[in-house]
Amino acid sequence: MNKNLIITAITGALTIILGAFGAHVLQENLSVNELKSFETGVSYQMFHVLALLFVNTYKGFNSKTKKSISLFFFSGILFFSGSIYAITLGVDAKNIWFITPFGGLLFIIGWLKIALFFNKNK
């Protein structure tokens, strides 16, 4: 699980970099709504970095469960937050509109896997 924790830590650092980029660079170039969308991507990324830290350090999860949930959350960050960043930075939303909700679905599946695990192991 060290690999997942390394990726999580790097993703956390990227979250801070992107947040600072949005606050200091993009603020001058984006509309209020575009900046709000960018901040949503950063927020969801950070929430899931924290969740990944929990998942990958929680002793109750076996290796297979950690890998599975981590894959959903890493993919969710890539598709959900990544597509928001891309749209905010100029990619035409018409071309990638379906990627954001797909990333959200991956987040939901990851959270449901956690819920099912705890329900099964109560």
Side-chain angles (χ1 to χ4, degrees):
M1 285 309 102
N2 239 0
K3 184 171 102 176
N4 283 345
L5 286 170
I6 292 167
I7 295 168
T8 299
I10 291 168
T11 304
L14 272 171
T15 307
I16 302 305
I17 292 166
L18 288 166
F21 180 69
H24 300 289
V25 176
L26 295 180
Q27 187 174 27
E28 299 171 8
N29 301 312
L30 298 179
S31 71
V32 172
N33 285 339
E34 289 170 327
L35 190 58
K36 187 175 177 183
S37 291
F38 189 87
E39 290 170 351
T40 298
V42 172
S43 295
Y44 274 64
Q45 183 170 332
M46 182 53 85
F47 297 148
H48 287 87
V49 164
L50 295 173
L52 281 159
L53 284 173
F54 164 73
V55 165
N56 286 289
T57 57
Y58 180 63
K59 303 285 186 211
F61 291 142
N62 61 35
S63 180
K64 183 179 175 184
T65 300
K66 289 179 182 183
K67 284 180 186 177
S68 173
I69 295 168
S70 294
L71 182 60
F72 283 110
F73 283 170
F74 287 135
S75 299
I77 290 169
L78 178 67
F79 290 111
F80 182 85
S81 295
S83 65
I84 290 174
Y85 302 147
I87 291 167
T88 315
L89 297 174
V91 173
D92 189 354
K94 294 176 189 170
N95 294 327
I96 62 170
W97 66 268
F98 57 92
I99 295 176
T100 309
F102 178 67
L105 178 63
L106 294 172
F107 284 150
I108 292 166
I109 293 169
W111 285 107
L112 290 175
K113 286 190 75 65
I114 293 171
L116 290 172
F117 175 86
F118 285 122
N119 185 53
K120 181 179 167 185
N121 296 296
K122 47 183 167 175

